[in-house]
Amino acid sequence: MMESRERKASDIMTREVATVYSDATIAEVVKLLLEKRISGVPVISRQGAVLGVISEGDLLYKDKKLHYPSYITILDGVFFLESPKRFEEEFKKSIALKAEELMTRDALTVEEDATIAEMATLMTENKINRLPVVAHGKLVGIVTRADIIRAMTEDLL
């Protein structure tokens, strides 16, 4: 039996991945998450490229109380003490109607030959729960934290 650190994404990934297209409604995304009992889903193009990911955390933005950036005025000039860009992103998510408006863009992905150690590092450093697996720019699977933990515990049993 291969040790977990030698195993690759292709060895442990789920190949039947629940996905949504960028024009899916938020209601469709929520329904899919509930039906499949999953906490996130890749958003893909019609050609199968990963455009982003929607997680339960993204859905929480829909109900989050918006925090307006603090500012001061000096000589009729407005100076923001916090990032107005972050507020803009949170506002866009709060009024999102389609998957493309709510998804986290530039989702981290891995190739099929990524090691468990590489994936675990990406997940912990970026505080994410899932990594879409791509081959030739198209989604071929997904690896979750649970997949990695399962692979690591197989060595112990």
Side-chain angles (χ1 to χ4, degrees):
M1 180 183 202
M2 192 182 304
E3 283 193 40
S4 66
R5 67 179 152 267
E6 298 171 1
R7 294 169 67 190
K8 310 283 186 205
S10 59
D11 298 324
I12 67 168
M13 69 184 185
T14 299
R15 294 176 189 280
E16 301 282 323
V17 184
T19 61
V20 294
Y21 292 120
S22 59
D23 60 352
T25 66
I26 301 306
E28 291 169 334
V29 173
V30 170
K31 182 179 178 194
L32 179 65
L33 294 179
L34 293 173
E35 283 178 357
K36 299 286 185 180
R37 293 190 170 127
I38 55 177
S39 62
V41 62
V43 180
I44 61 170
S45 69
R46 300 283 180 202
Q47 294 75 36
V50 177
L51 303 174
V53 172
I54 294 180
S55 68
E56 290 171 330
D58 293 316
L59 289 167
L60 290 178
Y61 272 98
K62 297 278 302 155
D63 289 327
K64 179 183 176 194
K65 182 178 179 181
L66 287 175
H67 172 74
Y68 298 96
S70 301
Y71 65 91
I72 58 173
T73 56
I74 300 174
L75 302 174
D76 292 331
V78 175
F79 298 92
F80 286 98
L81 302 175
E82 301 169 54
S83 170
K85 182 161 180 60
R86 182 173 178 180
F87 169 75
E88 181 183 338
E89 290 168 5
E90 289 181 3
F91 179 73
K92 284 180 182 176
K93 284 189 175 196
S94 75
I95 62 169
L97 298 174
K98 301 283 185 191
E100 65 189 344
E101 299 165 333
L102 184 63
M103 70 184 183
T104 298
R105 297 178 184 280
D106 304 320
L108 290 176
T109 62
V110 293
E111 297 284 332
E112 292 178 288
D113 63 350
T115 65
I116 287 181
E118 291 168 338
M119 292 183 289
T121 300
L122 277 174
M123 287 180 180
T124 55
E125 287 180 354
N126 294 283
K127 297 179 175 79
I128 57 175
N129 297 327
R130 68 202 52 78
L131 283 167
V133 181
V134 295
H136 310 291
K138 294 186 179 183
L139 182 70
V140 294
I142 196 161
V143 173
T144 64
R145 284 184 179 180
D147 295 325
I148 290 177
I149 292 167
R150 192 175 307 111
M152 291 168 58
T153 55
E154 286 174 0
D155 288 347
L156 303 173
L157 303 176

